[in-house]
Amino acid sequence: AIIEGDRAMVKQVSKNINLFQNSFIKLLSDPKSKQLSRESCCRGLAACRGLAHTLGDDGGILNERLLKAFGQTTYGGSAMIETESQARERRNERDGADADFPETEIGGAAGITESALGAFREMAAAAISLGRPDTVYSLLILSTSHSAWLAPRNRDKYNERSLLGNARAENSVSVRNALRPHLGKLVPRLLRACNDPNKHTREQMNSLWVALTGGGAESRAVITQNFLSTIDALIQDAVCSSWRARAGACSAISDIIVGRSWDELGGGGVVVDDDGEKMNTTASIRLIRLWRSALRALDDVRLVVRERGEVLGRSLRALTIRLCDPSVLISSDDTFLSDSDQMKKDREIEVQAEYAAAVSLGWLVKYGLNAPCPEATGICISCLLGIVDVSKPTTLQPVLAELCYALLMAMSGLEPAALNYLQVRAAGDSNSGGSGNDRYDNLERIRIQAAMSGPIATALNKCLEMVKHVDLETQQKLVPVFDSSLRTGAGFATRAATADAVSNLSNSCPSAFRFKGISSVNPTVRLLRALYYASERERGITAKDKMTHALGNLAALAPGSSVRQLVIKACKRYCESSGSNNDPSARKAAAATVRAIVVRSSNQLYDGGPNDIWRKKVLPVAFLGRHDEDTKVSTLWKDVWDEGGSIMSSSGRNDDTYGITLQENLLPFLEMAIISALRDMSWARRRHACSALLELSNSNILAPTSRSIIGDEDENDHDRFLQRAKSSSVLLRECTRIIARPRVWVGKADTIKAGSIIAGKWCSIAPAKGTSIDSLHGYYHTEWFPIVLKIDSYDDLFDGDGWFALNHSEADYLQDADCDVDEVKQLVANDDEYNGDESGLNLTDENEFEEEPDSGATFVKLSSMNTGVQSISFSGFCRLILDQGLKSPSQDTEGILPYRAAALSNLSNLLQSLVSAKGRFVSDYMIVYKRNLYHQLAPRLFSSISDGQSKNDKSMPPLLVANALECLASLIYDSIGDPGLSKEQNFNYSDPMDCLNFFVGLSGNSAWTIRQMSTLAASSLVAKMATKYLQKNEAIKVCLDCATKALKDRKFWKVRQAGLDLILSLVSRVGKQRVSEADSENRLIMESILPYKEKILHITRASLLDSEAHVTATASKISLAMTWWP
């Protein structure tokens, strides 16, 4: 009841109740208002409503003014709140009346911002949604929570009954019960308002929330009861146009999703994408929408929204990981379930975890990893790592292949583009230290190390560890994924990671790479080809090595025919990538590919197919590849040769070849490879073949077997001998053809050296007059003898062809020599036929690649390349080499001088081999043969040396003069100077004294090499001249004068040693016998030398003090030889 004395005041207040209401509203909107001030305004507004009701007013106008002041909500307006059209009309009227009046927000009071009345706007919206506008006053009172209202003296004065009187609604419990049917609509609004960015709104709505729901567990129960409608409404608010609504919705979602299960989110199956048109919203769709909202919030223009988005992202990450972890979902309430019920429930939990993993991973790898915002990408990667970490293999099994592909592509996709720019710029910066390739490789290695230690690589490794725990079908799905990532990967980090993944699975899950069916559709074969294709074109060394390593591991599991195709392709690619088509990267990739297969897939070497490509193709190419100028490439081929050779030796597959060492066992195939390379258009390939041929020659592979030389017959040695003879004959013929061609190129000198070594090895058992010289060992006779010795064959190059007598021009010979190129082309054609049968890798157009089974085609036999047997004439071969050494160049050609010097030097070695074989020949025949050879070659040598002493421009260089003297020293035969030979042009080449004086005359030349070799030639002449010439004092005196002159050279010790060698040859003619046992000829020689004994000993003693060890050693030999002299 109202006291009678206060009626006048009440009437006065009621007249100005609108002013009171406006004052309370402005105090509410004041940001500096404290909690007690705001709550007092709320209770004051309730008192205004109660006072108006006491005076008989129904409060309609008061309520309308209050609701309009609180404004319109983001959920739409109501009939009692000003609409947008009404607001436009009001603005138009106001603009006409007062243009300076400040513009207000839609549905709000003039001058009051949206944030100031946020909480009260939500209360007004809640009251209108209930259809009971008066409820807003009860909500205002419920939102007050200051302790002042709970004091005993104020509790009754300012409670709801006192303020509202008869206008009040039911009590708080009644209001709460009345609102419960509408909580589905109210809870989203209240939760969003409880997390509003404005502090006042937050505090006011939190008080109302606690008053309505009871707080604590009761509030959680209310949220759970209305969870689906609440989460759907908040997801819409999280992407609305109002930033305050977005911020509040993100915070609200992050609070209510904690600890939720798959069923609470709506259950259902897997939906990997949300098209926005589904009538039945399931847990999959809600989870996708939550992630989409979180990523949009992280990329929002407002800082507050981004901060709330980070909180939402962390909460959503925790929820997603929890949903994918079956162990977390098992409840402690399941203790009393039976075993069958427990197993059933566990299975349901695992299925839900699989659903959650499939949905989350599918969306994250498709959209999350490609998010434009770095923060969003980071939270997605973190979530993805967490899912992979907690999930079981069976959980990830449905999406494992897609997940691995996305992770592989993300290895390069998430890498900063600045790193690639830096690497390219550093490689092209010439001002930095080191080469561009080294800088590129160093940066590439750093980038790969960073990528392999990053979170994406960690997740990928965990996925690969799970592969061995899934079924075979899932494992095999990964093979096409690796193939696709290699072909479509934009960066080398992706390709390197793919290669590592292939290597890992090749060891842990080999069955995943074994497919049935033909090779043309075999995923393993496609992956094998992709690895080779990528490694060949990869620039960086680190990624290339990884792919080559993976290729080797994969080759062990691939079909044998496909591996053989790849090896044939690599060998062919290596041979083609030289010369004018020089491609160092392709050659290295081919060598690395073959090495990886041989070293890491050695099981493939036991099956060479019907054509035995490992022995007939791969190892011969490796033998030549070891001589590549690039040390890295040659090292790779050396590994192929060593590893493949050991396997071939242990396998024992040598039915068609014979030999002890690997080179000898593969000699027919090495022969074909060398000949093919010698006839190649690439000079580099020719150099490799020359080096390989020289290696075979030096290792005594192209020489008679030891039993054939010592005369020990052995039935098992016969096949080896024939094989060596055949290959030596073919290669020597090829060397002869190359030597006869006029063009000089780098490496041709090796051809002369190899040919001279082969001829020198075989001349010890070479036939003469068409038969074997040693009739006791005719068992070794064969038509394939490389060399023949005939007295009347000086005009023959090949036995009986009369090549020199016919005076062939170089052009005619070239045409004749090059005709065999067609035979090599036939060999290559047959080789290509083999490749066609297995359909080599078509890397230029891989879609047209097809494979057919191995055919029965065989490699061309050696006899098909060399029809007809033609041995080389020893004298003709010597003459050919001499022509190369003495011919005058038509112009100054680079490298011609070393080539001519090498020709003369090798001729000297060849002639020495003929002399060293004298024990195997019939002495009478050989004396005549060597004498004839001397008379055929010596005149040209003497003439060239004499011309070299002239002072004209065309004189022979000192180097060639020295080599010509060396040839003369080797050409001198035993007992030179026997009577019966006529003189030629005032100079008798067979007169030892004339030759000795000639050599002594050159000992004073200005070139030290000429002084050395002339003295050595005199030494050789003294050792072999007839005895009667040494019995004369004239010869002894000439020899000592020559030696004394050489010993005066203090600059070059080799000249001094040559002088001592001359004295040693002289004293050695006496022999090692005692005087009493000496024959008459040696006694006469000693008696001729004795007058000069003291002079010789004086020279010897002086030489013992020389600083060079070689000189003192020769002097010691002279002293030892003369110790027994009288």
Side-chain angles (χ1 to χ4, degrees), residues 114-171:
E114 178 185 1
S115 61
L117 296 176
F120 309 103
R121 185 174 62 250
E122 299 295 343
M123 295 180 194
I128 295 302
S129 64
L130 296 177
R132 301 172 60 182
D134 291 343
T135 310
V136 69
Y137 299 104
S138 299
L139 295 177
L140 287 174
I141 296 175
L142 289 176
S143 66
T144 58
S145 59
H146 197 275
S147 59
W149 313 121
L150 301 178
R153 61 179 181 175
N154 296 329
R155 185 179 302 167
D156 295 333
K157 288 183 180 181
Y158 301 106
N159 59 14
E160 186 177 6
R161 180 183 296 273
S162 300
L163 294 175
L164 292 176
N166 295 330
R168 66 181 178 87
E170 294 84 352
N171 56 24

Side-chain angles (χ1 to χ4, degrees), residues 756-757 759-767 773 787-790 874-875 878 906-921 925-934 937 970-974 1024:
S756 62
I757 292 176
K761 298 288 186 182
W762 283 93
C763 69
S764 59
I765 60 171
I773 291 177
I787 203 81
V788 294
L789 302 174
K790 289 186 178 181
F874 185 85
S875 59
C878 293
N906 288 303
L907 176 60
S908 174
N909 296 333
L910 178 59
L911 295 172
Q912 289 177 6
S913 65
L914 179 64
V915 174
S916 64
K918 61 183 179 181
R920 292 285 297 150
F921 291 100
Y925 181 83
M926 281 308 304
I927 291 175
V928 177
Y929 183 81
K930 289 187 286 185
R931 180 181 298 171
N932 280 274
L933 187 62
Y934 175 83
L937 302 180
S970 302
L971 190 59
I972 295 173
Y973 59 92
D974 293 334
K1024 297 179 181 179

